[in-house]
Amino acid sequence: MSPVQLSRRSLLKTSLALAATTGLVGIAAAQEKAAGRLIVAADSEPKNLNPAIVASNGVFYIASKIVEPLAEASFNGKDGLEPRLATEWQGSDDGLSATFKLREGVTWHDGKPFTSADVAFSALSVWKPLQNLGRLVFANLEKVETPDDHTAVFRFSKPTPFQLIRNALPVVTSVVPKHLYEGTDIATNPANTKPVGTGPFVFAEYKPGEYYRLTRNPNYWDKGQPQLEEIIYRVLPDRAGAASALEAEEIQLAAFSAVPLADLARIAKQPGIKVIADGYEALTYQLVVEINHRRKELADLKVRKAIAHAIDKKFVIDKVFLGYATASTGPVPKNAPEFYTDDVETYDFDVARANALLDEAGYARGPDGKRFALKLLPAPYFNETRQFGSYLRQALQEIGIDAELVNNDAAAHQKAVYTDHAFDLAVAPPVFRGDPAISTTILVRSGIPAGVGFSNQGGYENKTLDTLIDKAAETVDTTARTALYKDFQKQVTADLPLINVAEWGFITVARDTVKHVASNPRWAVSNWADTAVDS
């Protein structure tokens, strides 16, 4: 059976088969179980389900229900955080230590107690050396002291802003069990594909091409949670398949805009379906035009400014994102009010100004109306990035730049842009993860090795900006560090190492029987302990 071509009959067969695997007998028992079952769409199949190694939304979407961080994002909590495995946290005035008080009475899914030794092991053996984002946050982590089972003291060799650590907690601090990982090859440990955590759900089963199944943790530390008995992730790589399955009541929820934006107006009118734009505030995606500064024309600031003026951001918001996005002013999104400033140079849509700048730069139109040609590579990850690539090609034509559109699959795109530098312009969707030091400054910092995805592979070099970025990385005072990042935004928008076009979250579409959706700013990648389904 193809996982995309669902039917009521196929779903019933799957439900009965799943019921059998959990010891349920008879249709009555299966129906009773289904009242506590949430079936959701999954558009990818991450093979590594260890978020302590791979801090990505595709992994978090499943694994965050199993493996918990020290803290989670919150709409109402202090500093935008809510306790998970840590109940308190505090940084020293000198930036050389951070102390975490850990939750008592927590057990791993295999029954072993959770202690500070697990946090110390995770930090020193996984987050710092292996994790894509932890390498940045914990670059100067020297040791972790464990004076008792429920205290962990992080010691740093250089001042490390607690503001950065605090902002990164939901993303980089997924804790793994020391007793299962110590003494093994962490990268190939079997627990990466069958994770053991402390979360509200236990990993139960994975059938390639079909589904992942998680079951309720009866010993979860938050008594009375979770509300659900199990979560089934149906593998539905086709977005149209997710919309059809929702309408047929074969699944109950599709997150991360699994339902195409073009279908939202129609599906929102269907009885029993709700469209939810909340719950992604801490997962802001940014639509960015990456620029290869090795190209002579693009090394000219006037050319970069001309390209910025040629982009009609309102058209992009209205036509590409169908209104589900906002225009960017720079490298920090509006959803990050702690750092955001609009006191930056902006580039209104102005074709006449763009043409004038290109003329001033010495790139006159030829007899065919063309000034020069570029190679344009849109990222293939979303329909919107591909659609924007087509729009950008047309916008560049209006100012005499002939853009060759090159569409690759994900692997080929990443190699061409981030390893081979075989591009002139590229369209990228980097994620802002709560602090500019995580996945934002890396887009413009020089000296990034080739092969690092979503980083400055365009050869841009600005020593003044590099110095600012490095200073912010070690500035402990929160007010001073925040001011540096506001200056960072001004410098980036003035020199345009890249062009920020739009920023957007995602959309969740769910049956109205699903309760407590979007209860925090990272809801889709949080633990879903309070999520429920009405029978």
Side-chain angles (χ1 to χ4, degrees):
M1 178 188 73
S2 165
V4 178
Q5 301 301 319
L6 298 175
S7 67
R8 292 178 186 276
R9 180 175 296 177
S10 67
L11 184 73
L12 178 59
K13 287 181 179 178
T14 300
S15 297
L16 292 174
L18 290 169
T21 65
T22 54
L24 299 176
V25 292
I27 294 176
Q31 290 174 335
E32 181 180 354
K33 185 76 170 182
R37 173 186 296 150
L38 178 64
I39 304 176
V40 306
D43 65 358
S44 64
E45 294 180 79
K47 297 303 186 286
N48 188 329
L49 287 175
N50 185 348
I53 296 177
V54 184
S56 75
N57 290 337
V59 173
F60 280 128
Y61 185 43
I62 298 171
S64 60
K65 288 68 182 164
I66 306 165
V67 181
E68 295 186 293
L70 296 179
E72 183 54 272
S74 169
F75 286 124
N76 302 312
K78 185 178 184 296
D79 296 322
L81 292 173
E82 177 181 323
R84 284 290 190 268
L85 290 178
T87 57
E88 298 176 33
W89 42 85
Q90 184 174 1
S92 64
D93 291 339
D94 60 8
L96 294 175
S97 70
T99 301
F100 295 89
K101 293 296 184 182
L102 305 178
R103 190 175 298 279
E104 300 184 27
V106 178
T107 58
W108 294 100
H109 293 158
D110 62 5
K112 302 288 186 181
F114 160 77
T115 72
S116 57
D118 297 305
V119 174
F121 176 82
S122 297
L124 293 170
S125 299
V126 189
W127 305 341
K128 176 178 177 175
L130 300 178
Q131 192 192 77
N132 51 337
L133 299 177
R135 290 173 180 171
L136 298 172
V137 177
F138 298 110
N140 297 316
L141 180 63
E142 196 168 42
K143 60 183 177 179
V144 179
E145 298 171 356
T146 54
D148 58 60
D149 282 351
H150 300 103
T151 304
V153 183
F154 288 46
R155 301 288 185 186
F156 298 91
S157 59
K158 294 181 180 179
T160 299
F162 191 67
Q163 181 188 40
L164 167 60
I165 298 170
R166 186 191 69 210
N167 290 340
L169 289 178
V171 181
V172 305
T173 63
S174 297
V175 184
V176 297
K178 177 181 178 181
H179 65 276
L180 293 182
Y181 279 92
E182 188 175 35
T184 73
D185 180 353
I186 292 173
T188 62
N189 191 296
N192 293 335
T193 55
K194 296 181 179 179
V196 174
T198 59
F201 296 94
V202 178
F203 180 85
E205 187 179 10
Y206 167 53
K207 287 200 172 182
E210 294 188 37
Y211 61 83
Y212 299 83
R213 183 167 67 90
L214 314 183
T215 57
R216 186 177 190 275
N217 176 10
N219 301 311
Y220 188 47
W221 55 262
D222 192 356
K223 302 306 179 186
Q225 306 283 33
Q227 301 294 308
L228 297 167
E229 290 295 328
E230 62 182 355
I231 303 173
I232 309 296
Y233 292 86
R234 294 299 305 268
V235 178
L236 296 170
D238 182 358
R239 285 181 166 191
S244 299
L246 269 167
E247 292 178 278
E249 299 184 52
E250 294 168 339
I251 63 174
Q252 296 142 296
L253 184 143
F256 283 111
S257 297
V259 174
L261 297 181
D263 289 344
L264 292 181
R266 176 188 59 78
I267 204 169
K269 298 176 183 177
Q270 302 299 313
I273 289 181
K274 54 187 177 181
V275 174
I276 304 160
D278 299 327
Y280 297 95
E281 289 80 0
L283 297 172
T284 300
Y285 277 69
Q286 299 173 281
L287 185 70
V288 169
V289 179
E290 296 174 303
I291 299 171
N292 194 337
H293 293 255
R294 300 173 186 85
R295 178 69 185 260
K296 177 174 68 74
E297 295 90 342
L298 297 176
D300 189 324
L301 178 57
K302 288 184 177 180
V303 173
R304 301 197 297 274
K305 287 186 174 184
I307 293 172
H309 279 299
I311 297 171
D312 185 347
K313 293 181 180 179
K314 184 177 186 305
F315 179 90
V316 173
I317 301 305
D318 292 344
K319 302 301 181 183
V320 175
F321 290 95
L322 304 180
Y324 293 98
T326 58
S328 291
T329 58
V332 174
K334 299 178 181 70
N335 271 345
E338 182 177 17
F339 299 103
Y340 174 76
T341 178
D342 60 2
D343 183 19
V344 296
E345 187 169 351
T346 57
Y347 304 89
D348 295 335
F349 175 54
D350 188 338
V351 174
R353 177 61 180 148
N355 277 309
L357 283 166
L358 290 170
D359 289 338
E360 292 173 19
Y363 297 106
R365 290 180 184 265
D368 59 358
K370 298 177 182 177
R371 302 176 188 273
F372 53 84
L374 296 175
K375 185 180 292 185
L376 169 60
L377 279 66
Y381 317 120
F382 304 110
N383 287 341
E384 291 73 29
T385 52
R386 291 190 293 266
Q387 291 169 5
F388 175 74
S390 297
Y391 160 76
L392 182 58
R393 178 177 180 272
Q394 296 173 18
L396 293 173
Q397 285 178 337
E398 293 296 313
I399 58 173
I401 299 175
D402 184 24
E404 176 193 358
L405 200 62
V406 180
N407 288 299
N408 292 317
D409 63 19
H413 177 82
Q414 290 180 27
K415 184 175 185 297
V417 176
Y418 302 113
T419 301
D420 298 340
H421 308 144
F423 74 103
D424 294 315
L425 299 176
V427 180
V431 184
F432 186 85
R433 299 184 183 276
D435 194 288
I438 310 173
S439 72
T440 300
T441 55
I442 195 174
L443 298 172
V444 297
R445 178 68 167 85
S446 68
I448 306 297
V452 178
F454 299 105
S455 69
N456 174 17
Q457 294 298 331
Y460 174 75
E461 186 172 348
N462 182 328
K463 292 303 183 184
T464 300
L465 189 60
D466 288 349
T467 299
L468 187 155
I469 291 169
D470 293 344
K471 183 178 180 181
E474 295 186 1
T475 297
V476 174
D477 181 80
T478 297
T479 301
R481 184 170 183 266
T482 300
L484 284 171
Y485 281 124
K486 291 186 176 181
D487 190 20
F488 164 78
Q489 293 167 75
K490 292 181 180 181
Q491 291 192 33
V492 170
T493 54
D495 206 35
L496 288 182
L498 46 72
I499 300 171
N500 288 87
V501 179
E503 50 208 45
W504 81 99
F506 288 100
I507 303 296
T508 298
V509 183
R511 305 296 309 183
D512 59 10
T513 53
V514 184
K515 306 301 180 185
H516 307 141
V517 175
S519 55
N520 71 61
R522 296 177 72 246
W523 180 79
V525 293
S526 64
N527 69 14
W528 292 8
D530 64 344
T531 302
V533 176
D534 284 349
S535 57

